[in-house]
Amino acid sequence: IGDGTPGCVDLSIPPPIYYNELETTTTTSEPIPFDSSLDDWNSLKIENNNCYTYVRSFSSWTGFGYTTTIKVEDGIVVRRSYQESDSNAPVSITRSIVDGEEVFIEETPTFPSYDETTPDEIGTNSEGYPALTMDELYDRCDAALNEANPGDTVIFNTFEDPNMDNIMKTCGYVPNMCMDDCFQGVSIDSLEFCDEDVPIIDVGEPEYQLPEPPAYPGPDSE
């Protein structure tokens, strides 16, 4: 039984569970390929002039969610866009007469959004994910992996696109015994380089709906 002395292991606490989507297996021994993923990212960003756009989404079990889109040029964030959503928001029905006939018009609510496009604007809104580069997201991924406790579920997977092979898509952990909106770390919906077409705002369902904390929960939790 461990007592805090270097070299001692507390056998009463289970080790972290690592999940690597590339292998589609759950194991307690397979190492996380963080270093090789970071190396591949550093090579790929140079090949593409460090110019890209990525999208991140948060979706809660309550129905609330938001999408943040970040554009980076020459390694600097030049645009941040935000769109809020709520799948449980009430929809109003308006009765109207059109050409003498009764019709009912469904009106969906309008949700908050913004588009920051200048250096003075970028980062001024508190909602959404922060204006970070992929390099900074890798730093937060590394921090999340290091702060995971024994028994936590550690998650690291990469994009399936062959052009993004081994590039981080989801990285972090879910605390042991936590059920809802518990994920701590980084989750990226899409990543495109500047010579590819990607929408600045995408309010559709995120490809990964891992639970994440709301905006700015802490410096190492984005």
Side-chain angles (χ1 to χ4, degrees), residues 13-15 17 149-154 173-183 211:
I13 301 177
I17 299 174
N149 294 312
D152 294 344
T153 300
V154 177
Y173 66 95
V174 177
N176 189 30
M177 303 301 291
C178 188
M179 299 300 294
D180 297 314
D181 296 348
C182 303
F183 178 74

Side-chain angles (χ1 to χ4, degrees), residues 82-115:
Y82 171 87
Q83 178 64 62
E84 196 170 295
S85 62
D86 188 346
S87 60
N88 293 325
V91 176
S92 62
I93 304 295
T94 303
R95 175 181 175 276
S96 182
I97 302 298
V98 178
D99 296 331
E101 295 185 3
E102 182 181 51
V103 296
F104 294 91
I105 301 174
E106 184 177 284
E107 296 182 358
T108 57
T110 300
F111 298 105
S113 65
Y114 62 73
D115 191 16

Side-chain angles (χ1 to χ4, degrees), residues 139-140 143-144 147 184-185 218-222:
D139 288 341
R140 296 203 170 192
E147 73 180 25
Q184 302 291 311
D220 296 326
S221 300
E222 291 290 335

